[in-house]
Amino acid sequence: MFTIHEPKKFLSKIAIFLIMGRSVLCIPMIGLHLICDSRALARFFKLIAPLTLLIFIFAVYSLNQINELRWVLGQSRDIMLAFVVFAFLASIPASFGGELLAYRSLKSAAIFIAVAKILIILIGAVTGIDPMVIIKLITKVWDIHLMTLGVDDSFLTRLQIPIDSATPFLLYVVVSELLLSNRNRIRNYIGFALLLVSLLLTFSRFFWGCGLLLMALSLIFNSKLSTKMYFIIGACVIGYILYAFTPVGDYFDKIVGTRFGANVNNSASDSFRITQKAALSQRIYDNVIFGHGLGYYLPSLIRASDTPYLYENQTLSMIMNLGFVGSMLLILTLGMVIFGYCYNQQETKFLNIMLTLLFMTLWIAGGYFNPLLFGSSGGVILFFCARHHAIVKNFKMESSPVYSAART
């Protein structure tokens, strides 16, 4: 039945799909959603205000350091985009879905991206067209940059976009849904499999490790011992059959071997990280307390001319920019917003708090290997940091007899 909330729900979903697609239209769509719902608008400003004030203070300090205005504004914009996305996702009212609507929309968009990656690989395999050609075309038309890395003697290639950094956190909740919810089980298992393939195609060792850790924790915390055993045995049996008796095993070996083996690409990547770490560390010690300000960059290590302040090791670069005082202020302000505004009294359980701290730690650690702390992907990760426990609680409610009776 059509209700008064349906147009608002539609706006929320469209905004989320635009966020996952890294479209600039996500900002006006978020604005339209907020204008149409006063409760969402009030909660949004409650979440965003402390973070906006902090970034404003950082920007003023940075201009006082004689940093270029365009780069100060550019880096401030990138950071604020993460906070806007986070505040939008966390402010969707419970009356028309709340965090559950946000999660399911994020999951649907991530599955769509996974299917698109698989299609790129299949088109390359069937037609003989180098997947790199298809990727360059997508980059030109869609203006989304995919990290690429070919696999020797194979049509496989690395397909990683910035939003993939949120996939491990999404998988924590997806596994929780598989364990706790009885709704759409077949569809959920198919979606889970597609997300695993998408994660594998990122060719990111950090994403793989993070994904395995969070899926294991979800299994440990959200199931009984018997369910754990069935899940582990089932996964092992299916994995063995696919690995031993289908081409999946060969492709898996090639992908993992490409990233863990000794080859030119891995050596060059690791060597560049070491060089960058040494240079950033030196600049940190030049102004360890307050940093050099937003927009500051190292002329000898410019990653891209249009964003010279963006480095592969974004965590260290942010310490270089903000100093230890500014970095701690940023983390403490985020913690205040998440624990003070996103948690309610019933949610302040030890396990929830520890998992949120772990999620935030992994978010910061991810920035040590990839320039993906902020932007829309950072906002999605912060949303899962703040509301993972509330989403999981919804799955438990859905599986309860009372909820099932109410639906019927």
Side-chain angles (χ1 to χ4, degrees):
M1 180 182 293
F2 185 84
T3 68
I4 193 171
H5 295 308
E6 291 301 322
K8 299 177 184 178
K9 291 172 66 174
F10 178 75
L11 287 175
S12 301
K13 291 178 180 179
I14 293 298
I16 291 169
F17 274 90
L18 291 173
I19 288 168
M20 295 292 281
R22 285 175 58 85
S23 171
V24 295
L25 295 176
C26 71
I27 297 300
M29 189 59 66
I30 289 173
L32 183 59
H33 158 78
L34 295 174
I35 291 170
C36 292
D37 194 289
S38 58
R39 286 174 301 172
L41 182 64
R43 181 168 172 79
F44 175 86
F45 278 112
K46 184 179 180 181
L47 294 172
I48 203 73
L51 298 165
T52 303
L53 177 61
L54 188 63
I55 298 304
F56 176 76
I57 294 171
F58 288 158
V60 171
Y61 169 77
S62 304
L63 293 174
N64 191 54
Q65 294 291 104
I66 321 298
N67 293 348
E68 288 188 58
L69 175 62
R70 57 175 172 166
W71 304 134
V72 173
L73 293 177
Q75 192 163 19
S76 300
R77 176 203 62 209
D78 294 345
I79 298 172
M80 281 304 303
L81 177 59
F83 297 156
V84 167
V85 169
F86 155 62
F88 157 66
L89 293 172
S91 65
I92 299 175
S95 58
F96 56 96
E99 57 275 326
L100 201 58
L101 180 143
Y103 156 68
R104 287 189 168 139
S105 299
L106 290 169
K107 182 177 73 169
S108 296
I111 290 172
F112 176 83
I113 291 170
V115 171
K117 290 182 183 182
I118 294 170
L119 286 176
I120 291 172
I121 298 295
L122 290 177
I123 289 171
V126 172
T127 64
I129 299 174
D130 188 343
M132 298 291 187
V133 175
I134 303 173
I135 292 166
K136 289 179 181 178
L137 180 62
I138 293 173
T139 300
K140 184 177 180 180
V141 174
W142 195 10
D143 192 29
I144 185 167
H145 300 281
L146 289 86
M147 293 182 67
T148 58
L149 173 66
V151 178
D152 293 338
D153 302 320
S154 174
F155 55 84
L156 292 170
T157 187
R158 181 182 198 175
L159 294 169
Q160 180 187 321
I161 59 177
I163 204 67
D164 284 328
S165 62
T167 301
F169 301 87
L170 175 63
L171 280 169
Y172 173 87
V173 185
V174 170
V175 171
S176 301
E177 184 175 17
L178 291 175
L179 295 168
L180 298 172
S181 178
N182 295 320
R183 295 183 60 194
N184 304 316
R185 294 188 68 84
I186 300 300
R187 186 193 304 174
N188 288 338
Y189 274 108
I190 294 172
F192 172 63
L194 290 171
L195 291 174
L196 285 181
V197 173
S198 181
L199 184 67
L200 187 63
L201 290 175
T202 63
F203 280 61
S204 169
R205 290 164 287 187
F206 179 81
F207 292 173
W208 293 346
C210 187
L212 288 172
L213 172 64
L214 293 183
M215 286 188 288
L217 289 178
S218 182
L219 180 63
I220 292 169
F221 295 138
N222 296 305
S223 63
K224 299 176 181 178
L225 178 60
S226 57
T227 305
K228 291 183 180 69
M229 296 304 299
Y230 289 138
F231 202 89
I232 292 171
I233 293 171
C236 289
V237 169
I238 294 172
Y240 177 75
I241 292 172
L242 290 174
Y243 183 84
F245 301 108
T246 72
V248 170
D250 293 333
Y251 301 147
F252 180 82
D253 285 343
K254 288 180 178 179
I255 291 173
V256 175
T258 298
R259 292 305 284 147
F260 284 100
N263 60 57
V264 174
N265 289 316
N266 286 339
S267 298
S269 176
D270 294 339
S271 176
F272 183 73
R273 282 198 178 99
I274 293 170
T275 302
Q276 193 180 88
K277 178 183 176 182
L280 292 171
S281 297
Q282 180 59 49
R283 284 294 183 267
I284 288 172
Y285 289 118
D286 289 345
N287 196 342
V288 70
I289 298 177
F290 297 111
H292 298 273
L294 297 176
Y296 177 83
Y297 63 92
L298 303 176
S300 60
L301 284 178
I302 292 177
R303 184 174 179 269
S305 58
D306 57 341
T307 52
Y309 52 80
L310 190 62
Y311 296 95
E312 197 73 19
N313 193 324
Q314 197 173 16
T315 299
L316 276 184
S317 73
M318 289 305 299
I319 297 174
M320 176 184 71
N321 293 149
L322 303 178
F324 282 100
V325 170
S327 300
M328 287 304 300
L329 278 174
L330 182 63
I331 298 301
L332 289 173
T333 304
L334 271 171
M336 180 197 74
V337 170
I338 289 174
F339 291 111
Y341 297 155
C342 293
Y343 269 62
N344 60 46
Q345 189 173 359
Q346 291 74 30
E347 294 170 345
T348 53
K349 296 179 180 178
F350 179 76
L351 178 59
N352 293 341
I353 294 172
M354 289 298 102
L355 281 173
T356 292
L357 292 175
L358 174 64
F359 280 25
M360 292 183 70
T361 301
L362 291 174
W363 168 63
I364 295 169
Y368 196 83
F369 301 99
N370 300 284
L372 302 173
L373 267 182
F374 300 109
S376 56
S377 55
V380 173
I381 292 172
L382 289 173
F383 165 71
F384 283 118
C385 290
R387 301 305 293 159
H388 62 88
H389 53 281
I391 302 170
V392 171
K393 183 180 178 182
N394 274 289
F395 299 149
K396 293 177 181 177
M397 291 174 60
E398 286 181 351
S399 62
S400 68
V402 175
Y403 180 87
S404 301
R407 282 178 57 85
T408 56

